[in-house]
mmCIF file of all heavy atoms in Angstrom:
data_model
loop_
_atom_site.group_PDB
_atom_site.id
_atom_site.type_symbol
_atom_site.label_atom_id
_atom_site.label_comp_id
_atom_site.label_asym_id
_atom_site.label_seq_id
_atom_site.Cartn_x
_atom_site.Cartn_y
_atom_site.Cartn_z
ATOM 1 N N GLY U 516 -18.558 115.232 10.512
ATOM 2 C CA GLY U 516 -17.612 114.149 10.739
ATOM 3 C C GLY U 516 -16.389 114.585 11.532
ATOM 4 O O GLY U 516 -15.459 113.808 11.742
ATOM 5 N N LYS U 517 -16.387 115.835 12.004
ATOM 6 C CA LYS U 517 -15.274 116.368 12.785
ATOM 7 C C LYS U 517 -15.680 116.456 14.263
ATOM 8 O O LYS U 517 -16.852 116.353 14.609
ATOM 9 C CB LYS U 517 -14.892 117.763 12.289
ATOM 10 C CG LYS U 517 -14.490 117.831 10.827
ATOM 11 C CD LYS U 517 -14.230 119.282 10.423
ATOM 12 C CE LYS U 517 -13.903 119.405 8.945
ATOM 13 N NZ LYS U 517 -13.710 120.827 8.537
ATOM 14 N N ARG U 518 -14.668 116.655 15.109
ATOM 15 C CA ARG U 518 -14.970 116.877 16.521
ATOM 16 C C ARG U 518 -15.746 118.174 16.680
ATOM 17 O O ARG U 518 -16.679 118.262 17.467
ATOM 18 C CB ARG U 518 -13.664 116.927 17.324
ATOM 19 C CG ARG U 518 -13.892 117.063 18.838
ATOM 20 C CD ARG U 518 -12.582 117.160 19.586
ATOM 21 N NE ARG U 518 -11.856 118.365 19.225
ATOM 22 C CZ ARG U 518 -12.136 119.588 19.722
ATOM 23 N NH1 ARG U 518 -13.129 119.770 20.567
ATOM 24 N NH2 ARG U 518 -11.430 120.640 19.340
ATOM 25 N N TRP U 519 -15.356 119.219 15.923
ATOM 26 C CA TRP U 519 -16.053 120.517 15.940
ATOM 27 C C TRP U 519 -15.791 121.248 14.633
ATOM 28 O O TRP U 519 -14.668 121.222 14.148
ATOM 29 C CB TRP U 519 -15.563 121.377 17.112
ATOM 30 C CG TRP U 519 -16.401 122.614 17.286
ATOM 31 C CD1 TRP U 519 -16.137 123.868 16.822
ATOM 32 C CD2 TRP U 519 -17.658 122.685 17.948
ATOM 33 N NE1 TRP U 519 -17.141 124.722 17.148
ATOM 34 C CE2 TRP U 519 -18.101 124.024 17.846
ATOM 35 C CE3 TRP U 519 -18.468 121.764 18.610
ATOM 36 C CZ2 TRP U 519 -19.304 124.462 18.383
ATOM 37 C CZ3 TRP U 519 -19.657 122.200 19.142
ATOM 38 C CH2 TRP U 519 -20.071 123.536 19.036
ATOM 39 N N PRO U 520 -16.806 121.816 14.039
ATOM 40 C CA PRO U 520 -18.223 121.813 14.432
ATOM 41 C C PRO U 520 -18.859 120.454 14.160
ATOM 42 O O PRO U 520 -18.422 119.724 13.272
ATOM 43 C CB PRO U 520 -18.815 122.903 13.549
ATOM 44 C CG PRO U 520 -17.959 122.892 12.317
ATOM 45 C CD PRO U 520 -16.570 122.590 12.791
ATOM 46 N N ILE U 521 -19.908 120.178 14.887
ATOM 47 C CA ILE U 521 -20.584 118.891 14.742
ATOM 48 C C ILE U 521 -21.386 118.857 13.442
ATOM 49 O O ILE U 521 -21.368 117.862 12.712
ATOM 50 C CB ILE U 521 -21.497 118.622 15.956
ATOM 51 C CG1 ILE U 521 -20.648 118.554 17.228
ATOM 52 C CG2 ILE U 521 -22.295 117.333 15.770
ATOM 53 C CD1 ILE U 521 -21.449 118.528 18.520
ATOM 54 N N VAL U 522 -22.112 119.954 13.152
ATOM 55 C CA VAL U 522 -22.888 120.041 11.906
ATOM 56 C C VAL U 522 -22.554 121.349 11.196
ATOM 57 O O VAL U 522 -21.984 122.267 11.784
ATOM 58 C CB VAL U 522 -24.414 119.976 12.170
ATOM 59 C CG1 VAL U 522 -24.801 118.685 12.849
ATOM 60 C CG2 VAL U 522 -24.879 121.179 12.985
ATOM 61 N N GLY U 523 -22.925 121.409 9.927
ATOM 62 C CA GLY U 523 -22.734 122.647 9.169
ATOM 63 C C GLY U 523 -21.562 122.583 8.216
ATOM 64 O O GLY U 523 -20.524 123.202 8.457
ATOM 65 N N VAL U 524 -21.716 121.839 7.106
ATOM 66 C CA VAL U 524 -20.664 121.745 6.089
ATOM 67 C C VAL U 524 -20.706 123.004 5.231
ATOM 68 O O VAL U 524 -21.735 123.326 4.636
ATOM 69 C CB VAL U 524 -20.853 120.492 5.209
ATOM 70 C CG1 VAL U 524 -19.778 120.430 4.123
ATOM 71 C CG2 VAL U 524 -20.839 119.233 6.065
ATOM 72 N N ARG U 525 -19.581 123.699 5.150
ATOM 73 C CA ARG U 525 -19.537 124.958 4.395
ATOM 74 C C ARG U 525 -19.533 124.696 2.885
ATOM 75 O O ARG U 525 -18.969 123.707 2.415
ATOM 76 C CB ARG U 525 -18.303 125.768 4.768
ATOM 77 C CG ARG U 525 -18.306 126.287 6.204
ATOM 78 C CD ARG U 525 -17.238 127.341 6.391
ATOM 79 N NE ARG U 525 -17.182 127.822 7.779
ATOM 80 C CZ ARG U 525 -16.809 129.047 8.119
ATOM 81 N NH1 ARG U 525 -16.452 129.923 7.191
ATOM 82 N NH2 ARG U 525 -16.773 129.414 9.389
ATOM 83 N N LEU U 526 -20.116 125.655 2.155
ATOM 84 C CA LEU U 526 -20.085 125.594 0.696
ATOM 85 C C LEU U 526 -18.718 126.003 0.166
ATOM 86 O O LEU U 526 -18.255 125.518 -0.864
ATOM 87 C CB LEU U 526 -21.160 126.509 0.106
ATOM 88 C CG LEU U 526 -22.602 126.024 0.258
ATOM 89 C CD1 LEU U 526 -23.584 127.142 -0.091
ATOM 90 C CD2 LEU U 526 -22.853 124.802 -0.627
ATOM 91 N N VAL U 527 -18.077 126.947 0.862
ATOM 92 C CA VAL U 527 -16.731 127.400 0.504
ATOM 93 C C VAL U 527 -16.057 127.828 1.801
ATOM 94 O O VAL U 527 -16.711 128.381 2.690
ATOM 95 C CB VAL U 527 -16.794 128.538 -0.545
ATOM 96 C CG1 VAL U 527 -17.481 129.767 -0.007
ATOM 97 C CG2 VAL U 527 -15.431 128.877 -1.106
ATOM 98 N N SER U 528 -14.779 127.582 1.919
ATOM 99 C CA SER U 528 -14.118 127.642 3.223
ATOM 100 C C SER U 528 -14.164 129.001 3.901
ATOM 101 O O SER U 528 -14.342 129.083 5.117
ATOM 102 C CB SER U 528 -12.658 127.198 3.087
ATOM 103 O OG SER U 528 -11.950 128.053 2.191
ATOM 104 N N GLU U 529 -14.008 130.107 3.139
ATOM 105 C CA GLU U 529 -13.860 131.398 3.802
ATOM 106 C C GLU U 529 -15.158 132.164 4.046
ATOM 107 O O GLU U 529 -15.140 133.302 4.509
ATOM 108 C CB GLU U 529 -12.874 132.294 3.039
ATOM 109 C CG GLU U 529 -13.311 132.688 1.645
ATOM 110 C CD GLU U 529 -12.702 131.828 0.581
ATOM 111 O OE1 GLU U 529 -12.834 130.580 0.663
ATOM 112 O OE2 GLU U 529 -12.100 132.382 -0.351
ATOM 113 N N PHE U 530 -16.314 131.542 3.721
ATOM 114 C CA PHE U 530 -17.606 132.177 3.975
ATOM 115 C C PHE U 530 -18.483 131.240 4.800
ATOM 116 O O PHE U 530 -18.402 130.017 4.662
ATOM 117 C CB PHE U 530 -18.306 132.545 2.665
ATOM 118 C CG PHE U 530 -17.643 133.691 1.945
ATOM 119 C CD1 PHE U 530 -16.702 133.451 0.954
ATOM 120 C CD2 PHE U 530 -17.938 135.003 2.273
ATOM 121 C CE1 PHE U 530 -16.076 134.502 0.291
ATOM 122 C CE2 PHE U 530 -17.328 136.058 1.620
ATOM 123 C CZ PHE U 530 -16.387 135.806 0.628
ATOM 124 N N PRO U 531 -19.362 131.793 5.644
ATOM 125 C CA PRO U 531 -20.131 130.958 6.583
ATOM 126 C C PRO U 531 -21.380 130.316 5.992
ATOM 127 O O PRO U 531 -22.236 129.829 6.736
ATOM 128 C CB PRO U 531 -20.492 131.951 7.688
ATOM 129 C CG PRO U 531 -20.602 133.266 6.997
ATOM 130 C CD PRO U 531 -19.557 133.234 5.916
ATOM 131 N N TYR U 532 -21.525 130.298 4.664
ATOM 132 C CA TYR U 532 -22.685 129.666 4.046
ATOM 133 C C TYR U 532 -22.530 128.144 4.094
ATOM 134 O O TYR U 532 -21.450 127.617 3.805
ATOM 135 C CB TYR U 532 -22.838 130.128 2.594
ATOM 136 C CG TYR U 532 -23.058 131.614 2.468
ATOM 137 C CD1 TYR U 532 -22.045 132.451 2.004
ATOM 138 C CD2 TYR U 532 -24.275 132.184 2.811
ATOM 139 C CE1 TYR U 532 -22.242 133.822 1.900
ATOM 140 C CE2 TYR U 532 -24.481 133.549 2.707
ATOM 141 C CZ TYR U 532 -23.462 134.362 2.250
ATOM 142 O OH TYR U 532 -23.665 135.714 2.153
ATOM 143 N N ILE U 533 -23.604 127.448 4.455
ATOM 144 C CA ILE U 533 -23.530 125.994 4.587
ATOM 145 C C ILE U 533 -24.492 125.312 3.607
ATOM 146 O O ILE U 533 -25.418 125.933 3.072
ATOM 147 C CB ILE U 533 -23.826 125.536 6.031
ATOM 148 C CG1 ILE U 533 -25.234 125.967 6.480
ATOM 149 C CG2 ILE U 533 -22.760 126.065 6.979
ATOM 150 C CD1 ILE U 533 -25.639 125.426 7.849
ATOM 151 N N GLU U 534 -24.264 124.012 3.405
ATOM 152 C CA GLU U 534 -25.040 123.261 2.417
ATOM 153 C C GLU U 534 -26.532 123.241 2.743
ATOM 154 O O GLU U 534 -27.372 123.214 1.841
ATOM 155 C CB GLU U 534 -24.502 121.834 2.322
ATOM 156 C CG GLU U 534 -23.114 121.757 1.701
ATOM 157 C CD GLU U 534 -22.617 120.325 1.548
ATOM 158 O OE1 GLU U 534 -23.324 119.403 2.028
ATOM 159 O OE2 GLU U 534 -21.537 120.134 0.961
ATOM 160 N N ALA U 535 -26.870 123.270 4.030
ATOM 161 C CA ALA U 535 -28.284 123.237 4.419
ATOM 162 C C ALA U 535 -29.052 124.434 3.867
ATOM 163 O O ALA U 535 -30.265 124.352 3.648
ATOM 164 C CB ALA U 535 -28.401 123.204 5.942
ATOM 165 N N GLU U 536 -28.367 125.541 3.625
ATOM 166 C CA GLU U 536 -29.032 126.733 3.094
ATOM 167 C C GLU U 536 -29.529 126.512 1.672
ATOM 168 O O GLU U 536 -30.473 127.172 1.228
ATOM 169 C CB GLU U 536 -28.100 127.932 3.161
ATOM 170 C CG GLU U 536 -27.786 128.379 4.575
ATOM 171 C CD GLU U 536 -26.865 129.581 4.620
ATOM 172 O OE1 GLU U 536 -27.332 130.709 4.379
ATOM 173 O OE2 GLU U 536 -25.666 129.394 4.893
ATOM 174 N N VAL U 537 -28.875 125.614 0.945
ATOM 175 C CA VAL U 537 -29.327 125.301 -0.411
ATOM 176 C C VAL U 537 -30.675 124.585 -0.342
ATOM 177 O O VAL U 537 -31.613 124.921 -1.073
ATOM 178 C CB VAL U 537 -28.277 124.446 -1.144
ATOM 179 C CG1 VAL U 537 -28.771 124.077 -2.547
ATOM 180 C CG2 VAL U 537 -26.945 125.192 -1.233
#
Side-chain angles (χ1 to χ4, degrees):
K517 301 176 183 177
R518 184 182 64 79
W519 189 263
I521 298 170
V522 300
V524 178
R525 293 194 182 210
L526 288 168
V527 64
S528 61
E529 64 262 54
F530 289 94
Y532 299 106
I533 60 174
E534 291 183 355
E536 293 180 77
V537 178

